[in-house]
Amino acid sequence: MNLSIPSPGAPEGVLEGEVARVTFANEDTGFRVLRVAVEGESELRTVVGVFPPAPPGTRIRATGKQTEDRKHGAQFRAETVLTLAPATLEGMRRYLASGLVPGIGPAFARRIVDAFGERTLEVLDRDPQRLRDVPGIGQRRVQAVAKAWAQHRDVSAIMVFLQTHGASPALASRIYKRFGRKSINVVSANPYRLALDVWGVGFKTADAIAQSIGIDKNAPERAQAGVLHSLHLISTRGHAFAAHRDLVDFAAELLGCGTQAAEEAVDALDASERVIIEELPGGIRAVYSPELHGAERRIAQRLAQLAAETPALDHASQAIDEFEHRTKIELAPAQREAIAQAASSKVLVITGGPGVGKTTIVRAILTLFDLARVSVAMTAPTGRAAKRLSEATGREAKTIHRLLEFDPRTGSFARNANNSLNVGAVIVDETSMVALELADSLLQALDDHTRLVLVGDVDQLPSVGPGAVLRDIIDSGEVTTIRLNEVFRQAEGSSIVLNAHRIHAGKLPIGGTGKSDPFYVIERTTPESTVDTIRDLLVRRIRRGFGLDPFRDVQVLTPMKRGPVGAIALNELLQGALNPTGPHIQKGNRLLRLGDKVMQLRNDYEKEVYNGDIGRIVGVDSAEKNLTVRFDERDVSYAEGDIDELTLAYATSIHKSQGSEYPAVVIPVVTQHFVMLARNLLYTAVTRGKQLVILVADPRALAIALGEARKERRLSYLARRIVDARDKAR
């Protein structure tokens, strides 16, 4: 064996040996501490550094230098580590049994090595079907092991490639999940794709890899990648386009270059049609991504097409009479008008706040469509909203993704303009949450004869994704809109509903004084007293006073993620107060423990869990670093590489709560949240609570929120496009 052990302080050397054990591994950073058996040495060597996983039994070849650590003694500090095939049969058994490949434990590993000896890894690489020759191994397990082994080899190759360019093992795992076996080719050709296509990767990380690969800091492709990433970041703030000057300044700062280089990059992207520049009225030079520009135009055109024909249904009066007789509900004039408009309009918007009867109108419209023999599909943007719609109407309701038959393998919808939904009407609830591209996909999948009813509260926060579709449709003035303002008798007794409308009007909410009142305002003037009160509410007072479970029934909603009263700090506080001990997994600075309340951070269509879904950790495998989370009644498994998609959810941002309802909500309102405080933010938070709402508020901060009537300004041209499309259609 070729072996060179450098002396302490030597500039570089090579160490080769077999991993005896792993004494420390941080999968977020890739930092590991190995104990390695070196041929001819009686003592195990300590190897430290950032490198790919090297389980016991692995042979490694490390380059680096020998050092003397004051606390830990002699260490070989590795710059690179190349994993090699085990050199001995026992090493091979330990290698396979280390948990490297799911499905191979110690007993299975021994049987495999006994069957194939020194050719074991060759068999796994080239002819894994020969595993069927091993006694007791079924075909299903053979296929699982073959797939896991191939993935392991691919990931190992990616990690070896990426570690030479400064990427962590955790990043390599996410890259593999996104690009599969094409990963190395994709990263080599355009490392900047990582920032746009791999969840959790920023431009700085992609840029560091690109420069390591050899892309010059002044290269045009780097500047263009910076502009595209800047445009993407602007869209994550809700904007459909970026003003040209703002985009240039944003990109120049990101790239650390002058504005001229950024302007040239924008021009080059425009010439290659990777961005679309449109001159809008008012001297606005708008820069769009092709996807969002196309979505705006197609939505406007499709709404114009759908609204062009208005074949009336002749059953409005009969539907009203039948609904009132069956439900014993007397419809108000505005509600009757909504039913009449549903009969005469192909596209209808129904908007209004809590307690104004939107659900009642939906049920009455269903009666109308039943009488007219119009088939109906009901949908909403989230699973929680779809479930509520189904419970309220007694009819099946699907998420928009399920309705359009989303295929996670292709990232596209099976239902589209060429394979439309064969349905007479579509009712969409919580439409304020629907972003541009999803609205576009839904509209393209409708037949020309399909009627469309859009229901939602336009005064809530707009969608998390780009655009303000419901607001723009209403503002266009081209779509029949029923705006409900009257709070009905069944809701008048609810101080939650009444205070929501007071907040919308800019008036101070009125807090209750007795246990029977569901709305409270607790005055606190410092972050410290606010945090202490929130802890006391969840640990003691809400459970004792109202019998509500702090895990299942109570949600803390805060305007911001950071700060002493932000979601991150509150989650750490409440985890320690409500769930302080038990099996856990550490991911960087985050600790996820058995029993914790957690939230999914991005849509995962394979797992069928979506951004904002809240569950409870019901299983922890600390050795394998796997979690099981229960969402409603369904258990979902998270492998180590997927755990970054979860965060603690004792507290969450108000934006993340859109479309959700909770039995109880606790809302801190402090002056430290100044930049986010606005009337519609507080209104959205309050309307999330069904049985109990508690504001823990600084009166000064409450006054700021109520005095700020701004609507979140989003750069969009959809409303004007709808007007232009209708003018052309007339």
Side-chain angles (χ1 to χ4, degrees):
M1 182 180 295
N2 181 18
L3 175 65
S4 172
I5 303 294
S7 60
E12 185 176 55
V14 177
L15 180 150
E16 186 172 313
E18 183 177 294
V19 177
R21 63 178 180 270
V22 179
T23 60
F24 179 81
N26 184 321
E27 298 303 337
D28 282 342
T29 63
F31 181 80
R32 305 174 195 280
V33 180
L34 310 179
R35 296 286 282 164
V36 178
V38 175
E39 187 176 334
E41 296 281 339
S42 59
E43 298 290 333
L44 297 177
R45 293 276 182 170
T46 300
V47 178
V48 302
V50 176
F51 43 81
T58 311
R59 275 197 310 131
I60 64 167
R61 181 180 294 121
T63 63
K65 64 180 180 179
Q66 190 75 13
T67 63
E68 190 72 27
D69 184 86
R70 289 184 179 180
K71 183 177 180 181
H72 301 290
Q75 296 180 338
F76 186 83
R77 189 161 295 277
E79 297 295 332
T80 65
V81 172
L82 178 65
T83 57
L84 308 171
T88 66
L89 295 182
E90 182 57 32
M92 204 170 295
R93 293 187 188 100
R94 296 176 64 212
Y95 178 67
L96 292 178
S98 66
L100 192 70
V101 179
I104 300 181
F108 193 5
R110 181 168 294 279
R111 273 186 273 168
I112 293 174
V113 175
D114 289 347
F116 302 112
E118 294 179 355
R119 300 188 62 234
T120 296
L121 300 186
E122 180 184 342
V123 169
L124 287 170
D125 278 340
R126 299 183 180 181
D127 192 10
Q129 292 304 313
R130 288 189 61 192
L131 290 174
R132 288 179 295 180
D133 298 338
V134 178
I137 307 303
Q139 179 61 27
R140 182 177 296 178
R141 198 171 194 185
V142 168
Q143 296 296 338
V145 170
K147 181 179 179 181
W149 179 258
Q151 180 171 328
H152 157 68
R153 300 294 281 186
D154 287 343
V155 171
S156 293
I158 293 166
M159 286 181 170
V160 170
F161 168 77
L162 288 175
Q163 78 159 356
T164 63
H165 300 296
S168 70
L171 172 57
S173 179
R174 290 202 295 272
I175 292 171
Y176 180 85
K177 187 174 181 180
R178 174 64 179 84
F179 298 117
R181 293 187 175 184
K182 299 177 182 177
S183 298
I184 291 177
N185 290 337
V186 167
V187 174
S188 298
N190 181 11
Y192 292 106
R193 280 191 64 180
L194 301 179
L196 296 175
D197 294 344
V198 179
W199 183 81
V201 177
F203 181 81
K204 289 184 178 179
T205 299
D207 195 33
I209 293 172
Q211 290 179 48
S212 178
I213 287 173
I215 296 177
D216 189 86
K217 289 197 72 169
N218 297 318
E221 56 264 41
R222 178 178 182 267
Q224 292 172 30
V227 168
L228 289 175
H229 190 68
S230 298
L231 188 59
H232 170 72
L233 290 176
I234 290 169
S235 75
T236 64
R237 298 175 181 178
H239 301 298
F241 65 83
H244 182 274
R245 174 45 54 189
D246 292 341
L247 177 61
V248 167
D249 291 342
F250 194 111
E253 182 176 352
L254 178 72
L255 291 161
C257 68
T259 56
Q260 182 177 347
E263 287 181 357
E264 291 173 354
V266 173
D267 291 341
L269 290 167
D270 181 39
S272 62
E273 298 184 344
R274 295 169 69 192
V275 302
I276 293 175
I277 298 178
E278 184 175 359
E279 303 293 339
L280 302 181
I284 299 172
R285 194 173 188 215
V287 185
Y288 281 90
S289 71
E291 294 78 13
L292 294 181
H293 186 261
E296 273 199 355
R297 296 187 63 179
R298 287 188 297 269
I299 288 171
Q301 292 165 1
R302 194 75 187 108
L303 284 173
Q305 292 167 351
L306 289 171
E309 300 177 10
T310 55
L313 303 177
D314 299 325
H315 304 275
S317 297
Q318 183 184 352
I320 291 169
D321 292 342
E322 182 172 316
F323 179 79
E324 290 185 330
H325 177 74
R326 186 177 74 250
T327 63
K328 311 303 181 188
I329 295 174
E330 182 180 352
L331 296 174
Q335 292 177 312
R336 289 170 171 261
E337 174 64 16
I339 310 307
Q341 291 294 347
S344 61
S345 304
K346 278 278 294 298
V347 183
L348 174 66
V349 172
I350 300 170
T351 189
V356 297
K358 297 190 297 295
T359 301
T360 299
I361 289 177
V362 170
R363 292 166 58 200
I365 289 174
L366 286 170
T367 302
L368 167 68
F369 288 157
D370 288 346
L371 289 171
R373 299 184 182 277
V374 174
S375 59
V376 182
M378 295 199 303
T379 188
T382 68
R384 294 155 297 171
K387 183 179 180 181
R388 287 205 316 276
L389 179 60
S390 181
E391 291 170 348
T393 61
R395 307 281 187 98
E396 181 185 28
K398 299 179 180 179
T399 65
I400 297 174
H401 280 82
R402 279 191 61 212
L403 180 67
L404 301 183
E405 300 173 21
F406 182 79
D407 184 347
R409 293 171 300 175
T410 62
S412 61
F413 295 104
R415 295 291 184 175
N416 50 46
N418 299 318
N419 182 29
S420 60
L421 293 165
N422 185 21
V423 65
V426 172
I427 298 175
V428 186
D429 199 15
E430 295 286 0
T431 310
S432 63
M433 294 178 63
V434 181
L436 266 176
E437 290 180 282
L438 187 57
D440 175 35
S441 295
L442 176 62
L443 287 170
Q444 302 315 310
L446 301 184
D447 280 333
D448 289 343
H449 71 271
T450 301
R451 310 177 85 90
L452 179 63
V453 180
L454 303 174
V455 184
D457 186 349
V458 74
D459 295 316
Q460 287 186 19
L461 294 170
S463 58
V464 174
V469 174
L470 181 61
R471 184 188 301 167
D472 286 345
I473 290 174
I474 294 172
D475 288 349
S476 75
E478 295 292 339
V479 174
T480 303
T481 299
I482 301 295
R483 185 183 284 271
L484 305 172
N485 296 308
E486 179 184 354
V487 178
F488 290 98
R489 282 192 299 272
Q490 59 269 31
E492 285 179 349
S494 169
S495 58
I496 296 175
V497 170
L498 294 177
N499 277 312
H501 286 277
R502 286 182 65 85
I503 289 167
H504 181 255
K507 299 177 182 178
L508 281 170
I510 302 171
T513 56
K515 286 188 176 180
S516 61
D517 198 294
F519 195 100
Y520 294 85
V521 180
I522 300 175
E523 183 176 318
R524 294 292 183 268
T525 57
T526 67
E528 294 78 14
S529 61
T530 301
V531 166
D532 288 344
T533 299
I534 291 171
R535 182 202 294 114
D536 191 40
L537 285 168
L538 268 78
V539 172
R540 185 177 63 88
R541 293 167 64 180
I542 291 177
R543 190 195 297 270
R544 289 184 182 179
F546 299 91
L548 296 173
D549 181 80
F551 290 92
R552 184 186 64 247
D553 301 323
V554 186
Q555 186 61 51
V556 178
L557 302 178
T558 181
M560 298 181 73
K561 287 177 60 178
R562 305 195 181 277
V565 197
I568 295 172
L570 287 172
N571 272 317
E572 292 180 1
L573 171 89
L574 294 173
Q575 182 190 46
L578 295 170
N579 193 34
T581 61
H584 64 271
I585 290 176
Q586 185 86 35
K587 291 288 288 182
N589 294 325
R590 295 186 304 121
L591 187 147
L592 298 177
R593 181 177 285 127
L594 182 67
D596 272 339
K597 185 177 181 180
V598 293
M599 174 183 283
Q600 175 77 10
L601 291 175
R602 75 178 189 94
N603 292 337
D604 190 322
Y605 301 105
E606 294 182 3
K607 290 188 177 76
E608 294 187 356
V609 288
Y610 304 99
N611 185 6
D613 284 355
I614 290 178
R616 192 94 179 264
I617 296 177
V618 295
V620 174
D621 186 334
S622 300
E624 296 292 335
K625 296 194 174 179
N626 292 338
L627 294 176
T628 302
V629 180
R630 182 164 296 161
F631 294 96
D632 294 326
E633 300 303 317
R634 192 169 64 90
D635 288 355
V636 178
S637 296
Y638 286 79
E640 182 181 358
D642 300 330
I643 292 175
D644 285 339
E645 298 176 4
L646 295 172
T647 190
L648 291 174
Y650 300 97
T652 187
S653 70
I654 296 170
H655 281 82
K656 282 283 189 183
S657 73
Q658 287 176 263
S660 300
E661 285 185 347
Y662 313 96
V665 295
V666 176
I667 308 162
V669 187
V670 296
T671 55
Q672 284 75 14
H673 296 156
F674 174 82
V675 295
M676 294 294 295
L677 293 177
R679 199 180 296 175
N680 66 338
L681 186 84
L682 186 58
Y683 172 79
T684 298
V686 166
T687 56
R688 301 307 92 205
K690 293 193 296 182
Q691 301 174 34
L692 177 66
V693 173
I694 301 176
L695 300 184
V696 185
D698 184 328
R700 297 168 299 176
L702 202 54
I704 292 169
L706 295 172
E708 181 52 82
R710 65 173 180 241
K711 291 183 178 179
E712 188 176 321
R713 181 174 175 266
R714 293 194 164 184
L715 298 177
S716 166
Y717 198 57
L718 178 60
R720 184 68 239 180
R721 292 190 201 281
I722 294 171
V723 173
D724 293 344
R726 288 286 284 145
D727 286 345
K728 290 179 181 178
R730 288 187 177 101

